[in-house]
Amino acid sequence: MARQAAVSVRKRLAYGAGAVALVIGGGVLWALQPPALDPELSPGFAGEAPTALVAQGRYIAELGDCVACHTARGGAEMAGGLALESPMGTIYSTNITPDPEAGIGAWSFAEFDRAMRKGVAKDGHNLYPAMPYPSYAKMSAADMGALWAYLRQGLEPVKDTPPRTALGFPFNQRWGLGLWNTAFLQKTPFAADPAQSAQWNRGAYLVQGLGHCGACHTPRGIGFQEVTMDGTGPKGDRFLAGAEVEHWNAVSLRNLWSVPDMVELLKTGQNRFGTVSGSMVDVISHSTQHISDADLTAMAVYMDSLPSGAAVRQADEVPTGAPVPLTTYTTAGGVGYMQFCSDCHRPNGAGVPGVFPPFAGNHTIAARDPATLLHITLTGGASAQTQTHPRAFHMPSFARLGDDEIAEILSFLRENWGAGAPPVTTAQVAQARKALDPSVDASSFVTPRLRGLLDAPNAEELVYGMRLNAETRDLLPDHVGDKLNCTSCHLNAGTVADGSPYVGVTAFFPTYMTRPGKVIDMQERINGCFQRSMNGKPLARDSAEMAAFLAYYDWMRGKTRPEDKVEGRGIGKIDTSLTPDPERGAQIYTAQCAACHGAQGEGVKDAEGRVVYPPLWGAESFNIGAGMARTFKAAAFVKHNMPIAMHDGFPLGQGGLSDQDAVDVAEYFTHMPRPDFAGKVNDWLKDPKPFDARY
């Protein structure tokens, strides 16, 4: 998905330029003649290029982000074939490996240089400016020579012939692009500004040229050309000033953040203000994370020097310890936020450092144009994979929610963390949905919408029951002895399939329970959690808290009858014939679980020391009564509900490990040191003890 996003950002160049050139053109014959080659042009080496030059060329290729477009999914590096979808048809990237037939092995350096600077291929046909040659025209001769050395001698030749680009008429008339080049292409290489420092000039060269940042972040003119290629001239203040590109809001980069904040984003894909999305995921993964700190700093210095103009610079400090908004439990948007967003972004919008982005100070939330916010809500997305953050975290698609629900939730975000940004309307969501045509989750599990609580006659009691589930340890400190909330297990306030959802639950009580060997009612089941799972004290059966719990669960019952089967109830199934491997489980834990539960199972806390995700073992963890005495029971929960943000599936991107993965990691963490529960009694009095039960 990340690469597809990168492609979509560039496709506007491809079809826009061709279409406008044809409108201007009308049949001017000289446009058929390719620019002449310079016979004196030389890459600066003869025969085999020095190893250092090839290595420098690889770095130039990373600066130019060549791999993003010239490598198809699952294909060989730089062998082309990546499909660039456009309304006019599909454009396929070319093979730029040194194969003499399928790639550029038969090209001369002069022909390569002409393609890079003027958009003309070896045989004289015009390239679509999906390849950003207007920016590459600024490259120095030395960098062009190094790149040529790498492409010729640093890559294996691949004899893969990509599909031929064959757009319909009139977009297949490439001669029109010659007119576009005449009108808009600036062929002059970068010239340093003597009034600026060497660092500033280095940054300007990289941002304007190899980095081709303006391809997305600079507004476009009547010919879909970038209105300016640098910060000079009458339109210089529009360079990198932001633009909407294929339903993404490419933000203004002018004086956006401090230099360290910008460097951190380009190096890691995230900083204290947010996480990259859309095409920038691919840019970070394939390009900027590999750039030297000196070059990243130079780029940031240059962008920081550009006057912000109408754009607003992000605050230098992100608020910490923000309270939960007052309208969280009184508005449909607030309740919807608590149900679908707060597990990751937290009730106060603070996010989880290094995992999920905050909302305060986040440009996506505060942007006047909600394009990116709508795009990522409807289609989902993923963070960049970098050396600093090797695991990508996914934002699920919420296309299953109605347009009105999405508008309510996004308006709640902008009201509380959007720095005055206008609300999102239902019409805007509908328009974005039509344009993006997102796939909709087809699960048969019916997810209750908690905003309906507000319309019930006993709304105040129901909302209190919802809060008791989400804030159990804070609202009931005398009854919770560890760091758990009910939603530590019953995800999204108990509305997730195979996450032990509350849907229909009270219809099935009283019920016979095999562990105690007796029939219990709903109150006893609730108090069993407080005593066994939370190491706490039971609630009084006639207390307001117990009444609120029961009211909330009864609302969740809906029209379920005792004889009904509720799709998605329980914690899912697992293959119990597997043999657990705890050593492998430790490796899986490190790769998939530690980001949220801590490298040593200690949990994750926020800046104020409050628990975000609970300890998985240790004195304040899930104790042995919280499903931790049975490896396969814990494994079933893990398989279907952990890790969250593993993919873009509704509602939490949860699940994704294999049965063996889940069994191995469950065997590892369930047998770690943890407390027992108070008042432990002899169980399995009448029924056989399950094979994996430790007591």
Side-chain angles (χ1 to χ4, degrees), residues 151-232:
L151 294 178
R152 289 298 300 272
Q153 298 178 31
L155 291 174
E156 290 295 324
V158 179
K159 198 178 291 295
D160 287 347
T161 302
R164 183 170 174 267
T165 295
L167 304 183
F169 183 84
F171 308 108
N172 60 347
Q173 303 299 300
R174 290 181 184 251
W175 61 265
L177 291 166
L179 300 176
W180 187 89
N181 289 341
T182 299
F184 303 120
L185 180 61
Q186 299 175 18
K187 304 174 185 178
T188 306
F190 176 81
D193 183 346
Q196 299 289 348
S197 68
Q199 184 184 51
W200 185 97
N201 276 296
R202 175 65 175 171
Y205 170 70
L206 295 174
V207 169
Q208 295 173 20
L210 278 162
H212 58 281
C213 304
C216 292
H217 293 273
T218 296
R220 304 238 163 219
I222 190 172
F224 287 93
Q225 83 287 4
E226 295 166 54
V227 296
T228 177
M229 298 301 294
D230 54 36
T232 63

Side-chain angles (χ1 to χ4, degrees), residues 26 123 144 164 168 242 277 350 380 382 395 415 430 537 540 548 604 619 634 647:
D123 64 3
M144 193 70 77
R164 183 170 174 267
S277 59
M395 162 85 172
E415 177 186 0
K537 301 175 183 177
V604 170
H647 49 76

Side-chain angles (χ1 to χ4, degrees), residues 284-525:
I284 301 294
S285 297
H286 293 299
S287 178
T288 59
Q289 73 157 319
H290 304 293
I291 297 176
S292 70
D293 290 348
D295 277 349
L296 289 178
T297 301
M299 294 169 70
V301 165
Y302 171 67
M303 288 185 280
D304 187 56
S305 74
L306 301 176
S308 57
V312 178
R313 181 186 173 120
Q314 295 283 50
D316 284 333
E317 296 297 330
V318 176
T320 59
V324 175
L326 296 175
T327 57
T328 298
Y329 298 105
T330 60
T331 63
V335 173
Y337 173 82
M338 285 300 297
Q339 179 176 4
F340 294 113
C341 313
S342 66
D343 278 6
C344 295
H345 298 285
R346 313 313 303 153
N348 66 350
V352 181
V355 184
F356 302 117
F359 287 155
N362 189 313
H363 197 285
T364 297
I365 305 300
R368 305 292 295 179
D369 180 356
T372 293
L373 189 58
L374 288 166
H375 201 307
I376 199 168
T377 300
L378 287 167
T379 65
S383 61
Q385 285 184 284
T386 64
Q387 294 178 3
T388 308
H389 302 289
R391 184 196 158 185
F393 288 91
H394 289 254
M395 162 85 172
S397 163
F398 288 95
R400 189 170 183 177
L401 300 185
D403 294 345
D404 56 338
E405 295 176 279
I406 292 175
E408 291 165 353
I409 293 171
L410 297 187
S411 294
F412 173 81
L413 299 184
R414 287 158 76 83
E415 177 186 0
N416 290 286
W417 300 293
V424 174
T425 66
T426 301
Q428 285 176 307
V429 182
Q431 184 178 12
R433 187 188 296 270
K434 182 178 179 180
L436 297 170
D437 190 24
S439 59
V440 179
D441 176 82
S443 167
S444 58
F445 178 79
V446 178
T447 304
R449 303 296 203 267
L450 297 189
R451 66 177 185 163
L453 297 172
L454 300 177
D455 298 325
N458 59 335
E460 185 174 348
E461 183 179 48
L462 292 175
V463 170
Y464 185 40
M466 172 192 169
R467 293 191 63 183
L468 287 170
N469 271 271
E471 305 169 62
T472 322
R473 65 173 178 263
D474 294 329
L475 296 179
L476 297 172
D478 293 337
H479 298 273
V480 180
D482 51 28
K483 297 299 183 183
L484 303 189
N485 294 309
C486 296
T487 51
S488 298
C489 296
H490 303 272
L491 307 179
N492 271 17
T495 64
V496 172
D498 296 317
S500 196
Y502 299 136
V503 179
V505 63
T506 59
F508 307 119
F509 281 85
T511 190
Y512 179 78
M513 302 292 286
T514 56
R515 185 181 283 275
K518 65 178 182 179
V519 173
I520 66 171
D521 60 17
M522 195 69 210
Q523 288 98 321
E524 191 170 356
R525 179 68 183 88

